[in-house]
Amino acid sequence: MKRRTLDLMFSLGGVAIAVLLAIAGIVLQANANFANDYVGSQLTEQNITFKTLDTLTPEERQQPGLVEYAGQKLTTGKQAEVYALQFIGLHLKNTADGKTYADLGVPQSQLRAQVAEATKNNDPNLADLQQQLAEVTAQRETMFKGETLRGLLLTTYGFSEFGVKAGQAALVAYLAALVMFLLSVAGFFHAWITPRTQPFAPIEAVPDREQINA
């Protein structure tokens, strides 16, 4: 095989690979743009704003993200993560001494049974039990709403991270396509300056055995 033919074959293959990588980059970038635009539009519709710096409590000021985004509109996945973990998470922890919505189900059920029994027996502690039940029920409703919003915001953050990763993958694909294209150009140039008759791996002539013995 001629060296020039081999150069042309590899160069054409490199161009094909570069085109495929460029197409992959376009697709990945389109997905990244969709994720970023979708997350931004959905969060903007929620009209959530971080507390301003002067209204943050001492405990909230200890959360770096709340200080960084103080007073800003929540429009990005990273902001959604901060709001979910550092703001909602902080207040949920303080609402029921660290108990979750599921945890509060047990005492709520127990108090309901106690209230029913006290009502049946005209127990003088009925009012106190009803007050406890009302407090636990209010806490559980708050935890349900807070955990639901927190979960939705974290899901949005996760979706935005897919967009970030897609954007990074697109950049890698574009760079790889550029490298392959430049290598292909170098291959075409080498084929152009290589004589048509030059073989790829010329076979050296083997000396005749009689010449060697002589």
Side-chain angles (χ1 to χ4, degrees), residues 35 38-39 43 77 80-81 84-85 147-163:
Y38 185 78
V39 167
L43 291 177
E81 181 194 28
L85 297 179
E147 288 178 2
T148 299
L149 178 57
R150 182 171 177 266
L152 292 173
L153 288 175
L154 289 176
T155 299
T156 302
Y157 163 70
F159 187 75
S160 72
E161 282 299 294
F162 280 115

Side-chain angles (χ1 to χ4, degrees), residues 48-57 60-61 63-74 79 82-83 86-87:
I48 299 175
T49 303
F50 285 89
K51 292 177 65 175
T52 57
L53 189 60
D54 59 312
T55 61
L56 292 175
T57 65
E60 290 170 343
R61 287 176 181 269
Q63 308 298 318
L66 299 183
V67 175
E68 179 183 355
Y69 296 121
Q72 298 182 22
K73 289 282 189 180
L74 198 160
Q79 288 177 323
V82 170
Y83 197 88
Q86 300 184 19
F87 185 75

Side-chain angles (χ1 to χ4, degrees), residues 66-185:
L66 299 183
V67 175
E68 179 183 355
Y69 296 121
Q72 298 182 22
K73 289 282 189 180
L74 198 160
T75 58
T76 68
K78 185 60 180 177
Q79 288 177 323
E81 181 194 28
V82 170
Y83 197 88
L85 297 179
Q86 300 184 19
F87 185 75
I88 296 178
L90 175 65
H91 288 279
L92 289 179
K93 182 179 179 180
N94 295 335
T95 297
D97 298 325
K99 294 185 177 67
T100 65
Y101 171 80
D103 293 335
L104 293 172
V106 175
Q108 185 185 44
S109 299
Q110 292 174 345
L111 285 169
R112 282 175 177 171
Q114 292 175 13
V115 167
E117 186 67 21
T119 302
K120 180 180 178 181
N121 299 326
N122 293 321
D123 192 320
N125 295 324
L126 176 60
D128 183 54
L129 291 172
Q130 289 176 331
Q131 178 63 29
Q132 293 180 40
L133 176 60
E135 291 177 357
V136 171
T137 300
Q139 288 179 344
R140 196 164 190 238
E141 289 178 354
T142 299
M143 295 300 297
F144 176 75
K145 295 176 182 177
E147 288 178 2
T148 299
L149 178 57
R150 182 171 177 266
L152 292 173
L153 288 175
L154 289 176
T155 299
T156 302
Y157 163 70
F159 187 75
S160 72
E161 282 299 294
F162 280 115
V164 172
K165 300 302 180 185
Q168 294 173 346
L171 178 59
V172 172
Y174 286 139
L175 291 176
L178 178 61
V179 171
M180 290 302 301
F181 178 75
L182 292 177
L183 289 175
S184 298
V185 170

